[in-house]
Amino acid sequence: MRAFLLTGHGGLDRYRFVTDWPIPEPGPKEVRVRVHACGLNNVDVNTRVGWYAREVQAPTQGEGFGVEVGTWSGRVRFPLIQGSDIVGVVDRVGEGADPRLLGRRVVVDNWIRDPEEPWNPMKARYVGSEVDGGFADYCVVPEANVVPVESPLPSVALATLACSGTTAEGMLERAGVGEGDWVLVTGASGGVGVFLVQLAKLRKARVVALASPEKHEALRALGADVCLPRSPENLPKALEAATGRPHVDAVADVVGGSLFPALLEALRPGGAYVTSGAIAGPKVDLDLRDLYLRNLTLRGSGLVPPEILRRLVRYVEEGRLSPVVAGVWPLERLPEAQAAFLEKRHVGKLVVYHLPEALEPYKG
């Protein structure tokens, strides 16, 4: 099969495209997916460059950091097939797996959880990091990790849900966002950000989106109530001018870095901050007095329960959630797609497709 192999931590030159990689076979209770399309995510870049290594303190960037072990688990092995936003059709089932899945189009849940401790992130494996992912024609995952989807949407549209969509919904869940809340979303134009905007609106919350001004119109079309520059000089003052109040109830942050103190300042007393990324830098300035004197809650959001992906698939099937695809490339142009991803000029998701029909409405 065709596959992009990541041969080690470093720049885009660490990718190697092959056409003769062995097609994997499913084991007991596993299924094989013929991949139609796979979305790009920060995790692809972060793993490639070694950003997850504890010694790295810089923002996400496109070249390597010169580390030996650069994943959060330390269990990555090379060559690795990345790609964690997978959509495709089940073409083979292993012993004991449900044969009714054969021929079904599915979204792949990228968290492979430990059966005895499904909530333990240290025992979970991630598709595209510890397990080969979707930047290849086929991938194998446990039967429990495929979610059938009934929708006419093209596969490139559905190749946005498994990583970015569930990350966004998991963040809102952990922050306790509900009806009437004001939610501030950083990096609102990115793959996670566009889902945060839409999913917060489905919870009947009100959204303040931070993004470059040229992206504001697109974010308003997705439901953002207020759009502000991605790093306002005085965030509480900008909030009050735009909303009539200097604080929000929750912050959903994927940026981190130097913006972090301003985000806490923008929270009301008793408010919640949740993070699932730090593209502007993982090390932040925290004044503990802000935390305890204002009764703030800080939450991290990584591993999510399996029902979240099923919920998002249902939203898509019901027409309540609209994936946003900003650009597509054929699989063999993955490095070009990742270079565009790093430029951050897009609104929504970038996707590579494996089959031409992945670009067309699905007919089953």
Side-chain angles (χ1 to χ4, degrees):
M1 68 175 180
R2 299 175 303 162
F4 256 104
L5 307 179
L6 180 62
T7 59
H9 297 303
L12 289 170
D13 60 337
R14 301 311 299 266
Y15 281 130
R16 181 163 64 94
F17 184 62
V18 298
T19 60
D20 58 353
W21 199 248
I23 298 175
E25 291 293 333
K29 288 288 187 178
E30 291 183 333
V31 300
R32 187 173 72 193
V33 176
R34 175 64 166 99
V35 181
H36 284 188
C38 188
L40 276 65
N41 293 283
N42 277 308
V43 66
D44 306 319
V45 178
N46 291 340
T47 297
R48 172 172 61 78
V49 301
W51 183 85
Y52 292 113
R54 297 290 297 178
E55 62 266 34
V56 174
Q57 300 186 24
T60 295
Q61 48 101 332
E63 298 303 318
F65 288 101
V67 298
E68 292 293 326
V69 179
T71 62
W72 64 79
S73 69
R75 291 176 291 178
V76 69
R77 51 99 187 99
F78 299 111
L80 169 69
I81 299 172
Q82 294 186 290
S84 52
D85 255 327
I86 302 167
V87 171
V89 169
V90 175
D91 86 316
R92 185 165 295 189
V93 299
E95 182 182 355
D98 188 349
R100 292 174 297 180
L101 289 169
L102 282 169
R104 299 291 301 276
R105 187 168 64 150
V106 297
V107 180
V108 174
D109 183 347
N110 41 37
W111 284 106
I112 300 178
R113 302 162 184 85
D114 181 90
E116 296 181 1
E117 295 185 57
W119 266 110
N120 187 342
M122 296 298 101
K123 290 191 173 182
R125 296 177 295 154
Y126 200 73
V127 175
S129 289
E130 292 84 17
V131 176
D132 282 341
F135 293 152
D137 287 328
Y138 295 88
C139 70
V140 167
V141 294
E143 172 189 27
N145 281 72
V146 295
V147 181
V149 55
E150 300 292 338
S151 170
L153 286 179
S155 289
V156 290
L158 298 180
T160 61
L161 293 175
C163 182
S164 295
T166 62
T167 296
E169 183 72 350
M171 292 173 74
L172 297 173
E173 194 102 320
R174 290 183 70 79
V177 172
E179 184 174 356
D181 286 341
W182 278 96
V183 184
L184 187 149
V185 176
T186 69
S189 62
V192 176
V194 295
F195 278 116
L196 281 167
V197 172
Q198 292 187 75
L199 291 167
K201 296 303 293 183
L202 283 178
R203 292 169 177 255
K204 300 183 179 179
R206 291 167 287 187
V207 176
V208 178
L210 300 192
S212 301
E214 65 271 16
K215 300 174 180 178
H216 287 182
E217 183 177 353
L219 290 170
R220 290 191 187 98
L222 291 174
D225 298 275
V226 172
C227 292
L228 296 175
R230 61 183 182 181
S231 185
E233 184 175 338
N234 186 319
L235 183 53
K237 186 176 180 179
L239 281 171
E240 188 158 26
T243 69
R245 46 182 285 167
H247 299 114
V248 294
D249 302 289
V251 168
D253 182 28
V254 296
V255 174
S258 62
L259 187 61
F260 179 80
L263 297 176
L264 291 198
E265 187 181 358
L267 275 173
R268 66 164 173 82
Y273 167 96
V274 61
T275 180
S276 194
I279 60 174
K283 302 294 184 179
V284 298
D285 184 11
L286 170 61
D287 188 330
L288 288 174
R289 292 167 294 189
D290 285 334
L291 183 60
Y292 74 82
L293 291 174
R294 295 172 55 218
N295 289 327
L296 301 181
T297 299
L298 305 187
R299 304 295 297 267
S301 182
L303 177 65
V304 299
E307 60 264 24
I308 282 187
L309 179 57
R310 298 180 183 277
R311 183 188 308 165
L312 298 190
V313 167
R314 185 175 72 250
Y315 287 163
V316 167
E317 291 175 336
E318 295 170 351
R320 302 171 64 195
L321 184 63
S322 300
V324 181
V325 178
V328 297
W329 283 261
L331 173 64
E332 57 268 26
R333 291 170 58 190
L334 171 64
E336 182 181 335
Q338 200 169 96
F341 179 88
L342 284 161
E343 291 177 356
K344 303 296 183 187
R345 295 179 181 175
H346 55 281
V347 176
K349 289 278 290 185
L350 304 184
V351 179
V352 294
Y353 63 92
H354 301 54
L355 301 171
E357 50 263 43
L359 302 169
E360 304 295 331
Y362 190 68
K363 298 178 181 178

